[in-house]
């Protein structure tokens, strides 16, 4: 990983000034087109330039032309954007149509173009490599590549080229877990304390099921509220599975040889984790109704009805019942020692801003997007303009105005900030910072406290979603999908008891995965991991 990152940064250092004439020590450069560009601060250019950008229109935003973000960014940068707007439902179709037809904008913004699409069209010269511009025109993004070691390798193509700017997570509470919350009112009434081991966890759930902690005389308590998928994910930590985080999918590091990838859904420890969750299901300790993580409203109703003993929600999703819940302070200990906490990789997707060959002056757009990795740019992107969308407190912290937090016209929070800003729905080519990002559920004091408590249990190395070559991507989009679907279906059936818990059934599952190309799946993941390491 370090070697690949060094290659990426070296490319930026040696090639960053190609195509521009710059006097030593000068803060301006003259581009090949004759345009003069400022290398520091704002404006980017003294002579206004026009660019065309295709952009995803997020929830709550009507049009980019009406956003405070747009007008303020143009005033600061002297870059006028002609927006080609696409709706959330049509973004993939519109991007693919533009790429296939050759009728492309100067750049794509918030369109989340996958690594596979980048790999495919980069061969045709449609996307502009950013390596050449990192040091001179993208210093803030370049600094992030140095700070977050997994960032460059996670967004680079198989040959080490970077085409897209990612959404980079610089907040410890974002992408971490498990989000374990227990009903302290229930626990206090029954004389319980936070369970630290798997068996203690089981005993506590039984006590909640049988102890009537809500005092209504009915056995309506839900000891553990989670979908099967989420429950298995939580329990896997106790079996030291997903030891390289959650972003790499169904692979982690082989405990016997950390340089080798392991497909953990066929590991014996994974079966033990499934067996434990099946035990919870069979004894009515895990909610049988909560099959979909997306049905937040149904779960909130159960919290507010004083029925839930333990859950994996974000704190804000506990709604009015949140005051009764406290967070866990460590992952569960299992039969192989202390459990591990989950963590996602730094990058939330690399293709959130991509410059195309249609752009006459890519240096201008490199500086434009690099702004969202600076303090001033992050403040504009996520908070807006002081006095209009946020206020600065005496201690230096920021706060949205009451018009956004408590909109007088009855607009929701998303609708209110969506009148001014475009960060909604993610897909942002920007750096997340605790100071400037206040929109996520992860930013509550309770959630930040949970993240701090679990930090010592996070694996030292976290893997991103590895970049696939075109050949590998074709396999993962066909055989790979079938293999992963099989894992998901087996997990649900095994836990819910629709299949027998026998060695024969388990062996049939493993054999079927092998017949679907599991050996090739693992080989391709190993090759991608080796590239990530720079081998």
């Amino acid at each position: 990983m370090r070697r690949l990152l060094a290659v990426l940064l070296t490319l930026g250092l040696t090639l960053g000034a190609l195509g521009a004439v710059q006097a030593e020590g000068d803060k301006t450069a003259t581009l090949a087109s004759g345009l003069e560009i400022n290398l520091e601060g704002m404006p980017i250019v003294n002579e206004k330039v026009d660019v065309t950008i295709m952009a995803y229109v997020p929830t709550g935003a009507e049009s980019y032309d009406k956003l405070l973000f747009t007008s303020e960014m143009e005033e600061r940068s002297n870059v006028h954007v002609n927006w080609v707007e696409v709706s959330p439902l049509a973004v993939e179709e519109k991007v693919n149509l533009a790429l296939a037809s050759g009728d492309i904008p100067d750049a794509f913004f918030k369109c989340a173009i996958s690594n596979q699409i980048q790999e495919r069209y980069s061969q045709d010269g449609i996307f502009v490599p950013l390596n050449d511009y990192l040091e001179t025109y993208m210093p803030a993004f370049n600094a992030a590549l140095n700070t977050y070691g997994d960032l460059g390798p996670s967004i680079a193509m198989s040959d080490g080229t970077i085409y897209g700017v990612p959404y980079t997570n610089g907040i410890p509470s974002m992408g971490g877990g498990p989000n374990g919350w227990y009903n302290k009112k229930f626990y206090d009434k029954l004389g319980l304390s936070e369970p630290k081991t798997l068996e203690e966890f089981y005993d506590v759930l039984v006590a909640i099921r049988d102890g009537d902690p809500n005092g209504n005389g009915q056995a309506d308590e839900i000891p553990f509220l989670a979908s099967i998928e989420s429950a298995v994910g939580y329990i896997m930590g106790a079996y030291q599975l997903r030891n390289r985080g959650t972003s790499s999918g169904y692979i982690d590091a082989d405990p016997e040889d950390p340089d080798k990838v392991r497909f953990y859904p066929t590991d014996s420890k994974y079966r033990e984790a499934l067996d434990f969750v099946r035990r919870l299901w069979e004894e009515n300790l895990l909610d049988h109704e909560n099959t979909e993580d997306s049905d937040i409203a149904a779960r909130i109703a159960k919290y507010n009805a004083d029925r839930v003993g333990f859950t994996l929600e974000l704190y804000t999703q506990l709604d009015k019942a949140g005051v009764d819940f406290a967070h866990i302070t460590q992952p569960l200990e299992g039969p192989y020692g202390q459990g591990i906490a989950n963590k996602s990789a730094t990058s939330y997707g690399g293709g959130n801003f991509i410059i195309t060959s249609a752009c006459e002056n890519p240096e201008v757009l490199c500086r434009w997007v690099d702004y969202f990795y600076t303090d001033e740019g992050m403040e504009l992107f996520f908070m807006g303009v002081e006095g209009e969308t946020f206020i600065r407190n005496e201690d230096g912290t920021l706060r949205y105005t009451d018009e956004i937090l408590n909109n007088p016209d009855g607009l929701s929070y998303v609708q209110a900030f969506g009148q001014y800003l475009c960060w909604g729905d993610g897909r942002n080519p920007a750096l997340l910072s605790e100071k400037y990002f206040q929109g996520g559920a992860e930013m509550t004091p309770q959630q930040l406290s949970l993240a701090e408590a679990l930090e010592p249990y996070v694996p030292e190395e976290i893997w991103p979603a590895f970049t696939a070559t075109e050949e590998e991507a074709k396999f993962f989009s066909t055989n790979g999908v079938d293999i992963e679907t099989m894992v998901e279906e087996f997990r649900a059936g095994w836990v819910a008891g629709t299949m027998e818990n026998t060695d024969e059934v388990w062996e049939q599952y493993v054999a079927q995965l092998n017949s679907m190309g599991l050996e090739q799946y693992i080989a391709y993941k190993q090759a991608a991991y080796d590239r990530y390491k720079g081998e």
Side-chain angles (χ1 to χ4, degrees):
M1 178 176 69
R2 293 188 181 93
R3 183 163 36 174
L4 176 55
L5 183 57
V7 170
L8 293 171
L9 296 180
T10 299
L11 281 169
L13 289 168
T14 58
L15 301 177
L18 288 182
V21 177
Q22 177 189 2
E24 185 175 353
D26 198 351
K27 296 182 179 180
T28 64
T30 301
L31 305 182
S33 65
L35 179 69
E36 187 175 86
I37 183 172
N38 298 316
L39 300 179
E40 296 180 4
M42 289 290 185
I44 295 173
V45 288
N46 297 322
E47 176 186 343
K48 181 168 287 191
V49 297
D50 283 27
V51 294
T52 300
I53 298 179
M54 180 177 286
Y56 169 105
V57 180
T59 302
E62 182 179 347
S63 170
Y64 278 89
D65 288 331
K66 297 182 179 181
L67 296 180
L68 173 66
F69 161 81
T70 302
S71 58
E72 183 68 21
M73 189 60 188
E74 178 171 340
E75 182 177 341
R76 295 184 188 186
S77 67
N78 219 9
V79 177
H80 173 75
V81 178
N82 298 301
W83 299 98
V84 179
E85 300 180 340
V86 293
S87 70
L89 295 178
V91 60
E92 185 174 355
E93 176 188 355
K94 295 294 186 182
V95 169
N96 290 337
L97 181 61
L99 293 173
S101 67
D103 184 14
I104 52 177
D106 294 318
F108 294 96
F109 178 73
K110 285 177 67 81
C111 290
I113 298 176
S114 69
N115 283 1
Q116 288 73 25
I117 295 295
Q118 291 180 54
E119 188 93 38
R120 175 183 173 187
Y121 283 97
S122 64
Q123 299 174 15
D124 300 327
I126 290 180
F127 300 138
V128 173
L130 299 181
N131 305 62
D132 296 1
Y133 304 100
L134 290 173
E135 179 70 10
T136 304
Y137 299 102
M138 308 183 75
F141 176 49
N142 197 34
L145 292 174
N146 280 296
T147 301
Y148 306 104
D150 64 329
L151 183 58
S154 71
I155 62 175
M157 299 300 99
S158 57
D159 63 358
T161 305
I162 292 177
Y163 293 99
V165 177
Y167 200 1
T168 300
N169 177 20
I171 303 176
S173 62
M174 298 283 279
N179 289 298
W181 299 89
Y182 60 90
N183 191 326
K184 61 180 184 293
K185 186 172 69 174
F186 282 13
Y187 278 45
D188 290 347
K189 184 171 183 179
L190 298 174
L192 304 172
S193 58
E194 178 194 348
K196 301 299 178 65
T197 70
L198 275 175
E199 287 309 311
E200 288 176 3
F201 183 62
Y202 169 80
D203 292 341
V204 163
L205 297 182
V206 171
I208 291 171
R209 182 193 64 191
D210 300 338
D212 189 28
N214 65 13
N216 66 359
Q218 302 177 32
D220 62 346
E221 286 82 2
I222 302 169
F224 186 5
L225 180 60
S227 67
I228 288 176
E229 178 182 0
S230 294
V232 170
Y234 180 66
I235 297 302
M236 280 199 304
Y239 289 90
Q240 300 177 353
L241 299 165
R242 289 201 297 201
N243 58 38
R244 292 296 182 267
T246 58
S247 297
S248 56
Y250 288 121
I251 61 167
D252 64 1
D254 187 334
E256 297 183 4
D257 184 356
D259 288 329
K260 300 295 183 184
V261 303
R262 169 181 66 170
F263 185 76
Y264 65 76
T266 56
D267 192 277
S268 60
K269 292 180 182 179
Y270 179 74
R271 179 180 175 181
E272 292 180 51
L274 292 184
D275 285 344
F276 185 89
V277 181
R278 179 173 175 137
R279 178 186 180 193
L280 302 184
W281 181 276
E282 290 175 341
E283 299 184 26
N284 289 316
L285 301 174
L286 178 64
D287 186 24
H288 287 201
E289 297 177 356
N290 188 46
T291 57
E292 297 293 335
D293 285 327
S294 59
D295 194 1
I296 296 173
R299 296 199 299 279
I300 287 177
K302 294 175 181 178
Y303 302 135
N304 293 342
D306 200 24
R307 296 179 59 198
V308 179
F310 187 85
T311 183
L312 304 177
E313 297 287 6
L314 291 167
Y315 183 79
T316 54
Q317 293 174 351
L318 303 177
D319 203 49
K320 297 175 183 178
V323 67
D324 294 328
F325 283 78
H327 67 70
I328 61 173
T329 59
Q330 66 177 64
L332 294 170
E333 181 181 335
Y336 305 100
Q338 177 59 57
I340 57 179
N342 296 326
K343 186 72 174 178
S344 63
T346 303
S347 171
Y348 286 159
N352 295 325
F353 188 84
I354 294 182
I355 303 170
T356 75
S357 57
C359 182
E360 182 181 8
N361 298 297
E363 297 89 346
V364 171
L365 285 181
C366 283
R367 286 222 54 220
W368 189 87
V369 72
D370 189 62
Y371 190 60
F372 308 132
Y373 274 74
T374 68
D375 284 301
E376 288 184 0
M378 285 186 281
E379 183 179 275
L380 171 62
F381 200 96
F382 293 111
M383 297 300 298
V385 176
E386 185 174 2
E388 295 190 52
T389 54
F390 77 89
I391 59 175
R392 199 179 307 273
N393 300 316
E394 290 184 3
D395 62 359
T397 59
L398 311 181
R399 177 184 179 275
Y400 283 123
T401 61
D402 286 338
E403 184 178 354
I404 291 178
L405 296 178
N406 302 289
N407 187 265
D409 297 324
L411 297 180
S412 69
Y413 173 65
V414 172
Q415 291 171 326
F417 77 71
Q419 294 182 107
Y420 305 98
L421 307 172
C422 64
W423 61 260
D425 296 349
R427 301 165 167 258
N428 301 309
L431 174 62
L432 276 174
S433 162
E434 286 188 36
K435 180 177 181 180
Y436 302 112
F437 183 71
Q438 301 180 14
E442 294 89 347
M443 298 309 296
T444 63
Q446 296 85 352
Q447 201 74 37
L448 290 170
S449 175
L450 170 59
E452 183 179 1
L454 295 182
E455 184 62 30
Y457 305 97
V458 173
E460 186 174 336
E461 182 181 356
I462 301 297
W463 288 349
F466 299 133
T467 301
T469 65
E470 186 173 5
E471 176 185 341
E472 292 164 356
K474 288 180 180 177
F475 177 88
F476 290 133
S477 66
T478 52
N479 298 61
V481 170
D482 293 339
I483 288 170
E484 293 172 1
T485 300
M486 177 67 186
V487 169
E488 294 162 6
E489 292 176 349
F490 181 85
R491 176 180 61 207
W494 188 272
V495 170
T498 59
M499 55 182 68
E500 294 183 1
N501 186 346
T502 65
D503 291 344
E504 181 180 3
V505 172
W506 175 263
E507 290 165 3
Q508 289 174 351
Y509 157 70
V510 174
Q512 186 168 351
L513 287 172
N514 286 327
S515 70
M516 297 165 73
L518 181 58
E519 183 177 356
Q520 185 64 72
Y521 181 104
I522 296 172
Y524 279 148
K525 290 292 185 181
Q526 182 68 52
Y529 174 51
D530 291 341
R531 289 195 302 272
Y532 169 75
K533 292 188 297 179
E535 295 183 353

